[in-house]
Amino acid sequence: MTDTNLPPLTSGASSDAPVKSKSLYALDDLTRRRNASETRFKAYGIGAIAIGLFFLIVLAVSIVSEGLPAFTKTVVNVNFTLTQEQFDAAESQLFKTKAYEQIFIGALQGQLEERGVNVPFDAAAIERIVGKPGGTIRAYFQSNPDNLGEPAGFELAASSRVDGYMNGRVTRENMTDSRFLQASDLDLVDNLVEAGVITNVFNWNFITGADSGVDNPGGAGIGASVVGSFFMMLVVLFLSLPIGVAASIYLEEFAPQNRFTDMIEVNISNLAAVPSIVFGILGLAVFIQFMHLPQSAPLVGGLVLTLMTLPTIIISTRASLKAVPPSIRDAALGVGASKMQAIFHHVLPLAMPGILTGTIIGLAQALGETAPLLLIGMVGFVARGYPEGIVAGFTDPNSAMPAQIYTWAARADYAFYEKAWGGIIVLLVFLLTMNVLAVILRRRFERRW
């Protein structure tokens, strides 16, 4: 029986004609264009990474090359013996430090003659090279009268111009005669270097010292500012961590979803984007002018930075809590735990790596802030020394590393500019340490489920 609905075969058709099949390995135009687009996208990504690494290397090289001279200093080493008669004669004169300076010059000339260096110089040249050493020598022998008649060695810091000449910043070609340094003084400096009187040593005072006056860049140090930043970070840590974590737990786990909590969440997100100088103005108005807390104190700086850091910690903590699977909460509730026990015994330990990471990143951001500290008076020149106790560390006027760096960079002497670069190196060491600590804590508390 035949199907009458089938169309009739034409005379030219053949039932066994070969059917053309397309190979799976053959690429059409659409596939070629798609593969080319993927290749270009990968090239763009590699190029972006290469550009970023290039600028990072340039930045690192610039910081290291400009900042390393701050960790060395040029000193003048002079050894001589001051007799009791010379001490009494100097103390009997009207200009005592001038008398000690003449003794220093005589001892330096004798030391050079012993080493076969004969070069004439006067008191004015010595003052341009090493400042006025008379006050330092007098203070030493007044504090150590038993050393009279005994050989004593003095390591006096050279002037900033001489230090720049030793570091290559000042050359004979770009130097002009001034009251600070003259071209003829460079000949004396070269002879003192050959005699071993002038040397370069590691500048421990930069690590341990405090800020100095604008006319003494060689005596400036960042140690007091490091201590101020330390006390300030203690305030930020002990306030922002418990408050931020408690607020995050309440908003994420216990707070009802209504307009009030929505408004709080929106304001927290907005506060995270507020410029830091606004928090400085707030701290100046509330903590200093209204509450009358001590100005320029690390306590006030810590309170201001706590307000700035809280939104970052709250946002990161809520994200960490939200990343914990709901099954953890359901399992804890299913075995009879209360909601409080489920949160603190099960959810919070699993969210701890993210919480610690967000906290340390927030602290690192606060450590580098400058604008709010300048508004509350934590400028570089207020840090004249170390605090005398724990309480004084929070309440006495002090500075912080970023404010100290800003103060140095704003001064006219280029030697302070080198100090600013050196301070950036110290600050970056602290930031890298905090980031490494964040990674270690994350690995330490990380759990898999």
Side-chain angles (χ1 to χ4, degrees):
M1 184 177 179
T2 61
D3 190 355
T4 58
N5 295 325
L6 293 175
L9 294 174
T10 59
S11 58
S14 175
S15 59
D16 55 353
V19 178
K20 294 183 179 180
S21 61
K22 185 176 181 180
S23 173
L24 296 176
Y25 299 99
L27 299 179
D28 55 7
D29 293 338
L30 179 61
T31 304
R32 291 191 183 94
R33 289 195 299 270
R34 184 176 63 188
N35 293 343
S37 177
E38 292 178 356
T39 303
R40 287 194 301 270
F41 182 78
K42 292 179 180 179
Y44 296 154
I46 295 174
I49 295 175
I51 293 174
L53 289 177
F54 171 76
F55 284 108
L56 180 62
I57 293 173
V58 171
L59 177 63
V61 171
S62 300
I63 292 175
V64 172
S65 61
E66 295 286 346
L68 282 181
F71 293 90
T72 61
K73 66 177 180 179
T74 302
V75 296
V76 179
N77 300 283
V78 178
N79 302 315
F80 65 92
T81 302
L82 185 68
T83 63
Q84 184 68 47
E85 292 76 13
Q86 290 175 317
F87 179 79
D88 295 336
E91 290 295 324
S92 64
Q93 297 187 19
L94 179 61
F95 300 101
K96 297 178 176 58
T97 57
K98 192 71 174 179
Y100 283 100
E101 185 176 333
Q102 294 297 329
I103 297 174
F104 172 82
I105 293 176
L108 179 60
Q109 288 177 337
Q111 186 172 333
L112 292 178
E113 291 175 359
E114 291 177 358
R115 302 182 183 184
V117 178
N118 295 317
V119 54
F121 57 87
D122 54 5
I126 292 298
E127 290 185 1
R128 290 191 295 268
I129 292 175
V130 76
K132 296 181 178 181
T136 302
I137 298 173
R138 181 171 184 254
Y140 172 78
F141 283 107
Q142 283 183 331
S143 302
N144 304 277
D146 296 336
N147 292 339
L148 290 172
E150 301 292 336
F154 292 89
E155 189 178 84
L156 304 174
S159 66
S160 61
R161 268 73 174 182
V162 174
D163 185 71
Y165 176 68
M166 295 293 293
N167 293 331
R169 184 181 72 247
V170 177
T171 61
R172 295 178 181 270
E173 289 75 17
N174 62 13
M175 194 203 75
T176 57
D177 288 345
S178 66
R179 64 184 181 90
F180 301 106
L181 192 66
Q182 296 183 5
S184 58
D185 298 332
L186 300 182
D187 297 330
L188 176 59
V189 171
D190 292 338
N191 283 278
L192 293 176
V193 171
E194 292 179 3
V197 176
I198 291 182
T199 57
N200 266 335
V201 297
F202 188 81
N203 189 6
W204 287 107
N205 181 71
F206 177 72
I207 305 296
T208 61
D211 192 18
S212 63
V214 295
D215 57 345
N216 184 23
I222 201 172
S225 299
V226 172
V227 174
S229 293
F230 174 75
F231 281 103
M232 192 171 58
M233 287 299 104
L234 287 181
V235 175
V236 178
L237 177 63
F238 286 107
L239 289 180
S240 61
L241 181 59
I243 295 175
V245 172
S248 303
I249 292 175
Y250 175 76
L251 291 175
E252 189 64 30
E253 303 293 344
F254 296 98
Q257 295 296 323
N258 51 36
R259 293 183 178 179
F260 180 70
T261 56
D262 291 342
M263 182 182 66
I264 292 176
E265 292 178 0
V266 170
N267 287 329
I268 290 174
S269 300
N270 290 334
L271 285 174
V274 170
S276 60
I277 195 171
V278 177
F279 292 98
I281 297 174
L282 177 64
L284 176 64
V286 175
F287 299 128
I288 295 179
Q289 296 179 351
F290 178 73
M291 300 178 63
H292 301 289
L293 293 178
Q295 189 176 1
S296 307
L299 174 63
V300 179
L303 292 174
V304 173
L305 295 180
T306 296
L307 297 178
M308 191 189 70
T309 309
L310 272 175
T312 303
I313 295 178
I314 292 175
I315 292 174
S316 62
T317 301
R318 292 193 64 186
S320 301
L321 293 172
K322 195 175 296 183
V324 177
S327 58
I328 301 295
R329 300 171 177 85
D330 297 338
L333 296 174
V335 296
S338 65
K339 190 169 184 179
M340 182 75 72
Q341 291 174 331
I343 298 302
F344 284 92
H345 294 175
H346 300 277
V347 177
L348 191 59
L350 293 176
M352 190 58 66
I355 295 174
L356 292 176
T357 302
T359 301
I360 294 178
I361 291 176
L363 292 177
Q365 179 186 2
L367 181 63
E369 288 294 337
T370 307
L373 303 181
L374 296 178
L375 285 175
I376 64 173
M378 293 188 69
V379 289
F381 53 81
V382 303
R384 292 301 184 184
Y386 290 93
E388 297 181 354
I390 300 298
V391 177
F394 292 103
T395 58
D396 284 356
N398 206 334
S399 181
M401 285 187 286
Q404 182 70 79
I405 293 170
Y406 175 82
T407 303
W408 285 339
R411 293 178 181 175
D413 197 328
Y414 192 86
F416 282 111
Y417 195 63
E418 289 182 348
K419 299 288 185 180
W421 283 103
I424 291 174
I425 294 177
V426 176
L427 181 60
L428 287 178
V429 169
F430 274 82
L431 293 176
L432 290 175
T433 302
M434 296 178 70
N435 284 291
V436 169
L437 181 62
V439 173
I440 293 175
L441 290 176
R442 187 179 184 90
R443 296 289 181 87
R444 172 65 178 81
F445 292 98
E446 189 174 11
R447 299 183 182 181
R448 299 185 180 274
W449 56 79

